[in-house]
Amino acid sequence: MSLKVRFRFDGRCTRHPRYDPKRDGHPSDGKCEGCESLYVIHLYTKIAKRRAENANLIVARASSDREEEHSIDAQTGSETGAES
C-alpha cells in the first residue's frame, strides 16, 4: 500500500498579516488569538511531518464489519440500560 501525504497550511492573521510562524517563531503579541492559532497549527504540522517520516510511529487500521457491528450493539445496549 502506498500513501502520499502533503502538509501545507496557508493562513493569515487578520490583525498581523505579515506574521509567519515558520519564519518568526513564537508570536511577539501573546494576546493575539490569530497569531497564537497560526503558531499552534505550525507546531502540530511539524509533529505530523516528523511522525510521517518515521513510518513506525503511524498506525493505520481499518475496522472490519464485525467490529463495527459490535460497537453499534454496545452503543445501543448502553443507551437502553442493558448490560452486555
Side-chain angles (χ1 to χ4, degrees):
M1 178 171 84
S2 176
L3 178 65
K4 185 174 184 175
V5 179
R6 290 188 199 175
F7 296 97
R8 183 177 176 184
F9 177 79
D10 291 327
R12 297 274 179 231
C13 175
T14 55
R15 287 178 36 193
H16 307 101
R18 296 183 71 189
Y19 172 68
D20 180 12
K22 188 175 183 180
R23 182 188 66 222
D24 301 331
H26 204 295
S28 58
D29 184 5
K31 295 180 182 179
C32 180
E33 292 180 8
C35 291
E36 192 66 32
S37 296
L38 288 172
Y39 184 69
V40 169
I41 291 168
H42 169 69
L43 291 178
Y44 277 105
T45 303
K46 281 177 49 174
I47 292 168
K49 282 182 183 178
R50 191 175 333 130
R51 288 189 175 205
E53 289 172 358
N54 186 354
N56 294 331
L57 297 176
I58 296 178
V59 177
R61 183 176 150 228
S63 62
S64 67
D65 292 336
R66 187 174 185 186
E67 289 175 346
E68 289 177 11
E69 289 175 7
H70 179 71
S71 67
I72 291 170
D73 291 342
Q75 288 174 355
T76 304
S78 65
E79 290 173 0
T80 60
E83 294 184 18
S84 38

